[in-house]
Amino acid sequence: MISEPSRHCTVELQALPSRIGQVRRIISAQLRYWHLDPLIDPAALGVTELLTNVHRHAQPDKSCTVEIELLLERLTVSVHDHDPRLPTVREPSTSSTSGRGLALIAAVSESWGVRPRGGAGKVVWFTLSAPPWCAPLPPHSVYGATTDGPFELAALTYLESAAPSVARSAVVG
């Protein structure tokens, strides 16, 4: 299930390897829709690491909920699972092939944390800072549906306040 495509998106799933890739693509598409393209790679990396942790460690089941929410200029990505055990950051040896997920999340995010859900599991979350120019634009109305034309007054005001772009030509000569 995916919630309304506004500033909040929720995906419920079983954290299986085939589903992790699907959720990564859903999150990437949602961020593209919100015009947050610079956040796609770190968000996809973080959600992949969190879902991999659920797949590898969560008990009694692998069901979880991924949630992304954009408030002001901050994107929060969280994964809720049913395992009450809280994850810990480990110091893997140089030859270890796993154990670096939370360290990766800490490296690419603005902040991250874990909170218990009152005996019903936990939430692991991280935040990413969205540049002001990446803020989602107001939704556009469909021409002919309920408007008198293809442009809304608010959209025109937004376009007029934007900095003019410089025209460039790819033609030599």
Side-chain angles (χ1 to χ4, degrees):
M1 172 186 85
I2 301 173
S3 65
E4 296 274 328
S6 58
R7 294 178 156 230
H8 184 259
C9 177
T10 303
V11 181
E12 297 174 1
L13 71 143
Q14 291 287 321
L16 304 173
S18 61
R19 298 286 292 153
I20 293 171
Q22 291 172 343
V23 171
R24 188 174 49 242
R25 287 187 293 278
I26 290 168
I27 298 302
S28 297
Q30 186 67 50
L31 294 177
R32 240 180 247 101
Y33 178 75
W34 288 342
H35 305 284
L36 294 171
D37 295 37
L39 301 184
I40 291 172
D41 288 341
L45 172 67
V47 80
T48 300
E49 293 299 331
L50 294 181
L51 289 175
T52 300
N53 284 349
V54 172
H55 172 69
R56 295 181 84 176
H57 304 292
Q59 301 290 329
D61 60 34
K62 307 300 180 192
S63 63
C64 62
T65 303
V66 175
E67 187 174 8
I68 61 172
E69 185 173 27
L70 180 64
L71 291 174
L72 301 175
E73 294 171 0
R74 179 162 290 114
L75 180 75
T76 301
V77 179
S78 60
V79 175
H80 312 239
D81 67 39
H82 298 114
D83 190 341
R85 297 175 299 157
L86 302 180
T88 57
V89 179
R90 299 185 316 186
E91 283 288 330
S93 69
T94 56
S95 61
S96 294
T97 59
S98 65
R100 294 176 179 82
L102 292 176
L104 279 171
I105 290 170
V108 301
S109 67
E110 184 177 272
S111 60
W112 74 278
V114 181
R115 66 180 180 273
R117 286 180 47 195
K122 66 182 167 301
V123 178
V124 184
W125 57 269
F126 64 92
T127 62
L128 299 169
S129 181
W133 54 268
C134 284
L137 299 174
H140 300 287
S141 297
V142 176
Y143 176 69
T146 58
T147 64
D148 293 331
F151 302 106
E152 296 178 25
L153 183 57
L156 290 175
T157 305
Y158 175 81
L159 292 174
E160 290 173 348
S161 65
S165 60
V166 176
R168 295 193 172 114
S169 173
V171 178
V172 178

